[in-house]
Amino acid sequence: CGNYTQEGSCYNREHTVPQSWFDDALPMKTDLFHLYPTDGWVNNKRSNHAYGEVNAPTWTSTNGSKLGPCSYPGCSGTVFEPIDAYKGDLARSYFYMSVCYMNKDLGQDPESMFSGSQLMGWAKNMLVEWHNADPVSEKEINRNQVIFNSYQHNRNPFIDCPELVDYLFGARQNE
């Protein structure tokens, strides 16, 4: 969509890692593992803000997503908190982007959760928590398969093998 005046007007595609964070560069711009259909109005509210946790929202969507000051330890500024049902999905998207594009700069915007291709400490910790609290769903498995079979011919390994998160980003990363 292009024109929206309220929630429910139309949907568009959200770059979960905002394009400004990597200067609209390909192939990140078109990688389906971080593109999701979203409500156009809500996506506009999210803007280029990082994901985070919000205790005192300045805006709340009809489904419960929130915009406001970050309350997660180590995080500051305005962030967007998705509903719990998508937190793990988004975390696995971010882990994928960090690993898949480890030679790219995903941190070109001050609001980025990345420094280069590495997740900032607070972001990594929060996303590991989100990953653990919202396990891989059948929807994610099916989406992973469709992206592999019909489009990109690659997979998000954090959907296929969720335990990799612990080894690469979590408590077992030094083993």
Side-chain angles (χ1 to χ4, degrees):
C1 71
N3 298 316
Y4 37 82
T5 56
Q6 62 185 11
E7 279 185 74
S9 291
C10 60
Y11 71 93
N12 63 11
R13 74 175 170 229
E14 176 177 9
H15 291 80
T16 63
V17 176
Q19 295 176 75
S20 65
W21 293 8
F22 53 82
D23 198 27
D24 296 325
L26 293 171
M28 291 84 70
K29 183 176 181 173
T30 58
D31 193 312
L32 293 174
F33 285 113
H34 86 113
L35 295 175
Y36 289 85
T38 59
D39 183 279
W41 183 260
V42 175
N43 191 19
N44 183 55
K45 287 287 195 183
R46 187 222 166 179
S47 184
N48 292 338
H49 297 299
Y51 290 115
E53 295 182 356
V54 177
N55 284 340
T58 56
W59 178 80
T60 303
S61 72
T62 57
N63 80 345
S65 295
K66 299 178 264 188
L67 184 71
C70 192
S71 61
Y72 193 85
C75 175
S76 62
T78 300
V79 296
F80 184 87
E81 181 175 353
I83 60 171
D84 291 345
Y86 283 99
K87 287 180 177 175
D89 306 43
L90 295 171
R92 288 179 282 279
S93 292
Y94 271 59
F95 298 139
Y96 165 87
M97 294 294 284
S98 182
V99 170
C100 187
Y101 299 110
M102 59 194 251
N103 62 340
K104 305 290 185 184
D105 187 356
L106 304 174
Q108 297 181 39
D109 185 285
E111 294 199 59
S112 180
M113 296 166 67
F114 293 92
S115 176
S117 67
Q118 300 300 307
L119 287 161
M120 293 182 183
W122 71 267
K124 180 179 74 166
N125 294 338
M126 181 188 71
L127 293 172
V128 167
E129 290 175 18
W130 288 7
H131 162 75
N132 289 329
D134 177 27
V136 174
S137 66
E138 191 68 30
K139 172 186 56 107
E140 279 182 278
I141 293 168
N142 293 339
R143 185 173 187 266
N144 199 23
Q145 192 64 35
V146 168
I147 291 171
F148 174 74
N149 286 335
S150 302
Y151 299 100
Q152 291 181 189
H153 310 294
N154 70 326
R155 306 180 70 79
N156 182 334
F158 303 104
I159 295 170
D160 290 330
C161 302
E163 63 277 8
L164 288 175
V165 170
D166 211 25
Y167 285 100
L168 296 176
F169 300 98
R172 301 183 77 174
Q173 63 186 326
N174 295 321
E175 289 185 9

